[in-house]
Amino acid sequence: MPLRKVGITGTGSYVPEDKITNADLAKMVDTSDEWITTRTGIKERRRAKPGQATSDLAYQASVRALEAANCSADELDAIILGTITPDMNFPSTACFLQKKLMAVNASAQDISAACCGFIYALRTARALGATGDANKVLIVSAETLTKYTNYEDRGSCVLFGDGAGAAVIEPTDNSTEILDTWARADGYSEAAMSMVLRNGGSQSPFSQEALDNKEHLIIIRGREVYKFAVVRMSELIRDAAARQNVPVTDIDWIVPHQANLRILQGVAERAGYPVERFYINLQKYGNSSGASVGIALDEAVRDGSIKDDHLVLLCAFGGGLTWASATIRW
Ligand code: ACO
């Protein structure tokens, strides 16, 4: 059977109301608005309320994506949810989301690919749609990183925020089409441990000692991640353009993982792509891991930046290590 053409028919996003500004952080650790702004570009980020779980954020983003796609929850064949901050170790956060949506005809699964969660989910959804194993697939990436942030570590606490991005993927007759996806991982080198949350899994179950050592919180080696990000993201862009047989400048918009403005400036320079055509909203939300690409994509669609027929590239790097891209004709 020939593979079917699959596209994105609706997007949605959600960020919690509560904000953490750079001034708020300067009251918690030895930092300043000036340092955070010049080193990262971030001005503020969002924080989920104590009772707000990852699936609650995912639900809000999903409702918006379903509405945009004119799709009801019971039409969904599959839910694929990227997160590194799940509601519980199990059941999957996708199952909690399924219940909130009452998507009673869908399979539900999580994907753990850190900041690449949205693109890894999209890649899997495209395969399900192309083969005919599913028709309508909801992809979501949602994170509540602020619940796992060490607010005594100035090197990481200034970066993270919460949010969710979603999209409906399905076979389509109109011009929109996911043309290409690419994903890789490096779990084998020493660099794989440059972003970790050590405690709470089978290797290190919860313990008082781990809590005292703050091993239940995120640890990153920022500088190492920075170098990896610049090299891998610029390769992703050049390789994605080459697979379409076009120069990188033919890509109308790049929607990147929103980690750090300086990383994106470095990537743009190395890839030979104008930084003005990166869709950037990290100043408002910080790094919301896998959610960031989904949120930025939804904002770019809703504010009219992305228009019909545009060539759009999503790209990300993250913990694992992972890196991934998706090229879409809008
Ligand atoms: N305020 C003031 N000073 C700070 C702060 C801060 N918030 N953080 C670090 N510094 C200091 C350091 O202590 C160091 O001081 P020293 O020279 O006296 O030792 C100095 O600033 C420079 O530190 P670097 O770590 O070299 O600073 P850098 O320019 O690399 O910026 C940053 C650090 C922002 C973390 C950057 O490396 C970065 O963005 N890396 C990528 C991180 C990332 O995006 N990770 C994503 C993964 S998240 C995930 O997967 C869930």
Side-chain angles (χ1 to χ4, degrees):
M1 197 179 81
L3 291 179
R4 304 187 300 179
K5 186 176 123 173
V6 176
I8 296 180
T9 54
T11 62
S13 63
Y14 171 77
V15 290
E17 281 165 29
D18 290 356
K19 294 179 183 175
I20 309 174
T21 64
N22 290 350
D24 295 331
L25 289 164
K27 288 179 204 146
M28 299 182 211
V29 288
D30 182 13
T31 191
S32 63
D33 175 45
E34 200 264 336
W35 193 96
I36 301 171
T37 306
T38 53
R39 295 297 183 111
T40 71
I42 301 167
K43 293 301 248 182
E44 56 189 35
R45 49 312 266 143
R46 300 300 177 96
R47 173 166 44 194
K49 291 191 190 304
Q52 220 175 4
T54 294
S55 63
D56 294 318
L57 277 54
Y59 171 75
Q60 298 290 347
S62 300
V63 166
R64 289 168 196 181
L66 289 169
E67 194 181 288
N70 199 18
C71 172
S72 65
D74 60 7
E75 287 178 84
L76 290 173
D77 298 309
I79 298 172
I80 306 174
L81 189 148
T83 191
I84 51 168
T85 52
D87 285 20
M88 297 182 190
N89 268 346
F90 80 93
S92 70
T93 304
C95 281
F96 288 114
L97 174 62
Q98 176 193 30
K99 180 179 177 184
K100 285 172 182 156
L101 291 168
M102 283 311 287
V104 292
N105 297 311
S107 62
Q109 71 185 90
D110 284 1
I111 284 188
S112 177
C115 307
C116 295
F118 188 82
I119 301 176
Y120 264 60
L122 183 145
R123 188 170 199 242
T124 307
R126 180 196 186 212
L128 291 177
T131 55
D133 282 0
N135 278 319
K136 293 178 188 274
V137 183
L138 174 68
I139 62 163
V140 196
S141 191
E143 302 289 4
T144 50
L145 293 174
T146 63
K147 294 178 195 261
Y148 302 91
T149 297
N150 182 352
Y151 286 101
E152 292 175 3
D153 173 21
R154 68 177 182 173
S156 66
C157 74
V158 301
L159 304 174
F160 302 127
D162 302 336
V168 176
I169 313 287
E170 58 186 309
T172 131
D173 292 332
N174 60 27
S175 61
T176 176
E177 183 175 6
I178 301 166
L179 300 169
D180 172 70
T181 64
W182 179 264
R184 286 292 181 270
D186 168 8
Y188 43 84
S189 75
E190 209 270 328
M193 296 306 279
S194 52
M195 289 175 268
V196 288
L197 200 166
R198 288 181 193 281
N199 188 228
S202 59
Q203 196 185 82
S204 167
F206 294 113
S207 68
Q208 189 57 49
E209 190 189 354
L211 269 179
D212 293 343
N213 293 333
K214 300 209 182 310
E215 288 174 8
H216 60 299
L217 302 175
I218 298 166
I219 300 170
I220 63 160
R221 296 198 297 261
R223 192 127 278 257
E224 217 169 302
V225 179
Y226 191 106
K227 286 184 201 150
F228 157 73
V230 172
V231 172
R232 287 301 186 198
M233 294 258 278
S234 48
E235 278 173 14
L236 282 173
I237 294 166
R238 284 198 307 260
D239 292 351
R243 286 194 297 278
Q244 296 305 313
N245 278 317
V246 297
V248 289
T249 46
D250 272 19
I251 301 168
D252 293 291
W253 282 104
I254 292 182
V255 182
H257 170 45
Q258 312 280 320
N260 179 320
L261 185 58
R262 278 165 57 227
I263 290 179
L264 296 181
Q265 286 163 340
V267 171
E269 194 175 321
R270 218 176 145 108
Y273 187 80
V275 74
E276 307 74 46
R277 286 199 266 141
F278 276 105
Y279 191 88
I280 297 173
N281 62 7
L282 60 83
Q283 65 282 3
K284 296 188 287 183
Y285 308 133
N287 176 351
S288 57
S289 189
S292 89
V293 171
I295 296 169
L297 177 65
D298 182 49
E299 289 199 349
V301 171
R302 285 177 194 261
D303 74 14
S305 299
I306 293 180
K307 298 184 186 355
D308 284 354
D309 210 37
H310 271 173
L311 191 61
V312 178
L313 178 71
L314 315 183
C315 62
F317 66 93
L321 301 167
T322 53
W323 59 103
S325 70
T327 309
I328 302 158
R329 177 64 69 188
W330 208 262

